[in-house]
């Protein structure tokens, strides 16, 4: 049981050597640690079998005292999974199979590096031994992902060794108003999509007269191709719990809930473990660190409804009611869960909180742009060489993300568009590649930040069909409560289906644009208000493709089956 900040410090010092070896700061002679990714991506590629075979090989060579096999969270370079990193040397092995375990362990015993398992730069052909030698990692700055791929997410002691729960101890020694002021000064904005200032949300909740108050973590990540929050929960769950506890102290809440979709079994399992460990350690529950502050956290599983990512629908779902949004105001900060003041922050937002408290508001505000401070986590998916998860300072351009970190478009194909913000976002063309990624710049370009999903498309993608795909998703996920969304998205989808089947007219294009604006302006919640974004952005930047479908009855990308015959030019 941890009863004071000094107890935390003692545990940190006890377990720090393991972490220091992974950071290259300390080397225990003759001892090795093999960290194997146990995130969803690598797990689906066979990392569990790899870990088990590594353990068998270690035993077969009688190296149990000298070699430890440790599971960890996502490293981010998902294309290269399963990933294993050998410390203290920091040798980065990728695409490691169960069959490679014997050679890997023999290499440890003899001091040899297995060259065929090293990362090979596609441009230079050179092998890289360490993560810091690979541009994918060099270009990042990890704050929310600071522990993912570095610690065992199922061991609270490893989190504490990385200064875990030190921020909570520091926060409990200060006044709640000071904590809120620090979060406000840091410039942290909600990473779930809307970008509302986090400090302001906490301030409104703390000022509300009603009690009790609640803290809710929105982990209902439903965007196709997005896996930012899932990776944090799988790789560093305690950072989210600590962020929630700090939010609870700052706002006067004593109860927190994590609303996570049931389709994330690994994340749910690690969250449950982390909550149990924190309770046993006295870092959740009554009289935390002997300060008199009490805070508990429970998990609520979502059934996969996309609309429950909207905060009012999410709160209704926690209450056991149908997940439907309600009109705002009142906002959750005044009347949220069971009508009481509630802070709702997403996973990435909360993961930033402990670092801000520990390193200071000015430190966090030194990253990013004037209106968008700090870093942002993005998932890279679609037609891109380096699929995976990255974290970069706000203001990094789309070009650097896609062609620098992402490695460009595979197969020698030409870049066509990038969709930011998932089904609620927009599709931006090549001429917008130098757009800095921040809230204001993306909105001005006709898209949104969203939760951080980036879907890259090449010349083989039809932008009309892309708009149809995302509109079909939004229409299917509409809760049906308000008419503009329930009926409007259905009518929009009908128009898009007519166009992609070769039955569209030029009048349909005007109707499509006008109706999109109507649905956007009249819908009750963010789902309906943003559902037309893929249509409006593709009409703005790729109208020629719509006109080809309607006027020439031809799909330039050859995707729409009824429109593949090239028109005859007269």
């Amino acid at each position: 049981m941890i009863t004071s900040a000094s107890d935390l410090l003692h545990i940190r010092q006890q377990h720090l050597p393991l972490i220091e070896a992974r950071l290259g700061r300390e080397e225990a002679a003759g001892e090795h640690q093999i960290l194997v990714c146990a995130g969803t991506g690598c797990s689906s590629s066979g990392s569990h079998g790899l870990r088990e075979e590594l353990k068998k090989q270690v035993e077969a060579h009688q190296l149990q005292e000298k070699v430890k096999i440790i599971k960890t969270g996502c490293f981010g370079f998902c294309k290269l999974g399963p990933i294993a990193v050998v410390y203290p040397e920091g040798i980065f092995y990728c695409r490691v199979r169960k069959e490679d375990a014997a050679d890997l362990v023999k290499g440890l015993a003899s001091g040899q590096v297995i060259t065929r398992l090293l990362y090979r730069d596609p441009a230079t052909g050179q092998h890289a031994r360490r993560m810091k030698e690979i541009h994918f990692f060099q270009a990042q700055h990890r704050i929310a992902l600071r522990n993912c791929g570095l610690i065992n997410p199922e061991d609270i002691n490893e989190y504490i060794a990385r200064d875990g729960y030190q921020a909570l101890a520091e926060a409990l020694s200060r006044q709640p108003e000071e904590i809120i002021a620090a979060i406000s000064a840091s410039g942290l904005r909600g990473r779930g999509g809307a970008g509302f200032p986090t400090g302001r949300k906490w301030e409104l909740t703390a000022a509300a007269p009603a009690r009790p108050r609640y803290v809710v973590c929105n982990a209902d990540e439903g965007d196709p191709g997005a896996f930012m929050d899932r990776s944090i929960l799988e790789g560093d769950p305690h950072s989210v719990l600590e962020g929630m506890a700090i939010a609870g102290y700052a706002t006067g809440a004593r109860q927190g809930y994590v609303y996570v979709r049931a389709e994330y079994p690994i994340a749910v399992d690690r969250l449950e473990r982390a909550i149990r460990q924190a309770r046993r350690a006295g870092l959740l529950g009554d009289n935390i660190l002997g300060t008199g502050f009490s805070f508990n956290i429970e998990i609520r599983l979502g059934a996969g409804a996309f609309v429950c990512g909207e905060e009012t629908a999410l709160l209704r779902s926690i209450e056991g009611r149908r997940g439907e949004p309600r009109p705002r105001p009142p906002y959750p900060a005044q009347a949220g869960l069971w009508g009481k003041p509630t802070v709702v922050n997403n996973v990435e937002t909360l993961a930033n909180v402990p670092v801000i408290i520990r390193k200071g508001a000015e430190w966090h505000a030194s990253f990013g742009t004037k209106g968008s401070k700090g870093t942002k986590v993005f998932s890279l998916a679609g037609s891109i060489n380096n699929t995976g998860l990255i974290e970069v300072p706000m203001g990094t351009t789309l070009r650097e993300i896609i062609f620098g970190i992402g490695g460009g478009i595979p197969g020698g194909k030409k870049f066509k568009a990038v969709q930011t913000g998932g089904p609620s976002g927009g599709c931006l063309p090549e001429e917008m590649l130098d757009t800095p990624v921040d809230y204001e710049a993306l909105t001005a370009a006709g898209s949104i930040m969203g939760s951080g999903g980036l879907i890259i498309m090449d010349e083989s993608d039809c932008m009309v069909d892309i708009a149809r795909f995302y509109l079909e998703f939004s229409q299917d996920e509409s809760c049906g409560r308000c008419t503009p969304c329930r009926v409007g998205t259905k009518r929009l989808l009908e128009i898009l289906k007519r166009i992609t089947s070769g039955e569209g007219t030029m009048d349909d294009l005007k109707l499509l644009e006008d109706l999109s604006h109507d649905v956007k302006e009249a819908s009750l919640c963010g789902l309906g208000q943003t559902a037309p974004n893929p249509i409006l952005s593709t009409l703005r930047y790729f109208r020629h493709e719509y006109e080809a479908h309607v006027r020439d009855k031809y799909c330039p990308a050859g995707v729409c089956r009824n429109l593949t015959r090239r028109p005859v030019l007269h």
Side-chain angles (χ1 to χ4, degrees):
M1 177 70 74
I2 300 171
T3 59
S4 66
S6 59
D7 289 344
L8 273 175
L9 184 60
H10 175 72
I11 294 175
R12 178 181 181 276
Q13 292 172 338
Q14 185 179 0
H15 294 272
L16 190 58
L18 283 175
I19 304 299
E20 293 284 272
R22 298 171 200 170
L23 295 171
R25 298 172 185 162
E26 182 176 304
E27 184 170 339
E31 293 187 3
H32 285 91
Q33 304 173 56
I34 305 177
L35 271 63
V36 182
C37 177
T40 293
C42 284
S43 293
S44 64
S45 299
S47 68
H48 175 74
L50 170 63
R51 286 198 314 276
E52 294 304 310
E53 186 62 27
L54 283 169
K55 291 176 183 177
K56 290 179 182 178
Q57 293 296 326
V58 167
E59 292 173 2
H61 289 79
Q62 298 182 344
L63 295 172
Q64 297 94 317
E65 299 300 318
K66 293 185 177 181
V67 179
K68 293 181 173 61
I69 311 299
I70 300 168
K71 67 167 61 175
T72 187
C74 179
F75 288 88
F77 215 158
C78 301
K79 178 186 177 180
L80 301 181
I83 291 173
V85 182
V86 179
Y87 291 102
E89 296 89 347
I91 305 300
F92 181 85
Y93 290 128
C94 53
R95 296 194 178 97
V96 188
R97 303 300 173 187
K98 179 180 178 179
E99 296 74 22
D100 299 315
D103 287 345
L104 201 155
V105 173
K106 287 177 186 176
L108 285 182
S110 62
Q112 293 181 333
V113 174
I114 314 302
T115 305
R116 74 172 190 277
L117 298 178
L118 295 175
Y119 172 76
R120 186 172 180 270
D121 189 293
T124 65
Q126 298 295 312
H127 287 100
R129 290 192 172 200
R130 297 170 180 83
M131 293 170 65
K132 62 184 179 182
E133 299 171 8
I134 303 172
H135 181 71
F136 181 86
F137 296 106
Q138 290 173 341
Q140 297 187 49
H141 188 90
R142 293 187 156 207
I143 297 178
L145 299 178
R146 61 193 176 277
N147 290 327
C148 293
L150 182 64
I151 68 170
N152 181 352
E154 297 180 2
D155 187 347
I156 190 174
N157 293 321
E158 291 206 3
Y159 179 69
I160 292 174
R162 284 281 288 163
D163 294 324
Y165 291 104
Q166 292 289 339
L168 176 60
E170 181 178 340
L172 295 179
S173 70
R174 298 158 64 181
Q175 293 299 312
E177 309 84 59
E178 294 180 62
I179 305 304
I180 294 175
I183 297 299
S184 295
S186 74
L188 179 65
R189 295 171 64 174
R191 299 298 195 246
F196 191 82
T198 304
R200 179 61 178 157
K201 184 177 286 189
W202 290 15
E203 184 181 28
L204 291 170
T205 304
R211 289 183 182 273
R213 299 169 186 155
Y214 299 99
V215 174
V216 171
C217 171
N218 182 350
D220 189 69
E221 184 177 48
D223 292 7
F227 49 96
M228 298 76 60
D229 291 350
R230 184 187 70 195
S231 294
I232 294 173
L233 292 176
E234 291 178 354
D236 193 17
H238 284 284
S239 67
V240 179
L241 303 185
E242 185 177 11
M244 291 179 69
I246 292 170
Y249 174 72
T251 60
R254 297 294 180 265
Q255 179 65 49
Y257 294 93
V258 181
Y259 186 88
V260 57
R261 49 183 46 222
E263 296 96 325
Y264 284 2
I266 297 176
V268 171
D269 177 68
R270 290 184 185 155
L271 264 176
E272 290 173 342
R273 289 171 183 263
I275 290 172
R276 288 197 301 268
Q277 290 173 351
R279 283 176 180 160
R280 283 198 298 266
L283 296 168
L284 286 178
D286 297 331
N287 193 27
I288 297 173
L289 297 176
T291 62
F293 171 64
S294 300
F295 189 77
N296 280 289
I297 295 175
E298 297 179 20
I299 296 174
R300 291 291 183 268
L301 298 181
F306 181 64
V307 73
C308 285
E310 196 276 339
E311 60 182 7
T312 62
L314 181 153
L315 295 176
R316 286 173 60 92
S317 183
I318 292 178
E319 294 169 351
R321 298 191 286 168
R322 180 181 173 89
E324 294 179 330
R326 63 160 175 80
R328 297 177 299 175
Y331 293 94
Q334 286 89 33
L337 201 57
W338 292 293
K340 302 299 181 182
T342 304
V343 166
V344 183
N345 290 135
N346 90 316
V347 170
E348 186 183 341
T349 308
L350 291 163
N352 275 280
V353 168
V355 196
I356 293 172
I357 297 302
R358 205 170 67 246
K359 294 193 174 184
E362 291 185 6
W363 173 84
H364 183 267
S366 67
F367 301 101
T369 64
K370 182 178 179 180
S372 302
K373 303 296 186 183
T375 59
K376 182 72 188 77
V377 180
F378 294 100
S379 61
L380 303 181
S383 299
I384 191 163
N385 280 310
N386 298 336
T387 54
L389 200 70
I390 67 169
E391 183 172 2
V392 294
M394 292 278 198
T396 304
T397 65
L398 288 169
R399 187 182 301 278
E400 168 56 19
I401 291 173
I402 297 168
F403 288 92
I405 303 172
I409 313 302
K413 292 185 177 181
K414 185 179 179 182
F415 170 87
K416 178 177 275 191
V418 55
Q419 186 185 34
T420 72
S424 304
C427 300
L428 304 181
E430 187 174 15
E431 56 264 33
M432 303 302 292
L433 280 173
D434 292 315
T435 300
V437 175
D438 62 33
Y439 293 101
E440 290 75 22
L442 288 177
T443 300
S447 189
I448 61 172
M449 177 78 73
S451 59
L454 293 180
I455 308 294
I456 293 85
M457 290 157 269
D458 64 31
E459 58 190 312
S460 64
D461 289 300
C462 168
M463 301 313 296
V464 185
D465 187 63
I466 290 290
R468 180 205 57 76
F469 169 80
Y470 282 110
L471 204 282
E472 189 170 45
F473 175 86
S474 296
Q475 195 274 323
D476 186 59
E477 292 290 340
S478 172
C479 72
R481 184 174 185 186
C482 74
T483 303
C485 181
R486 181 182 70 250
V487 179
T489 56
K490 189 174 181 63
R491 296 289 90 82
L492 288 171
L493 182 58
E494 289 171 352
I495 297 171
L496 287 171
K497 285 182 175 179
R498 283 204 300 271
I499 294 174
T500 55
S501 65
E503 300 172 0
T505 67
M506 293 304 289
D507 288 339
D508 280 332
L509 293 188
K510 185 176 188 311
L511 178 59
L512 187 67
E513 190 163 17
D514 290 345
L515 183 55
S516 291
H517 286 294
D518 291 340
V519 172
K520 192 175 180 69
E521 292 173 7
S523 292
L524 175 62
C525 81
L527 189 151
Q529 292 163 7
T530 58
N533 282 347
I535 297 174
L536 291 171
S537 61
T538 50
L539 279 171
R540 176 178 175 181
Y541 295 115
F542 300 96
R543 182 175 287 270
H544 59 282
E545 289 199 25
Y546 282 88
E547 292 174 349
H549 281 68
V550 171
R551 187 178 54 232
D552 302 326
K553 305 302 179 186
Y554 173 64
C555 174
V559 171
C560 302
R561 289 189 299 173
N562 293 344
L563 303 172
T564 55
R565 182 178 297 176
R566 186 177 295 274
V568 177
L569 300 178
H570 297 285

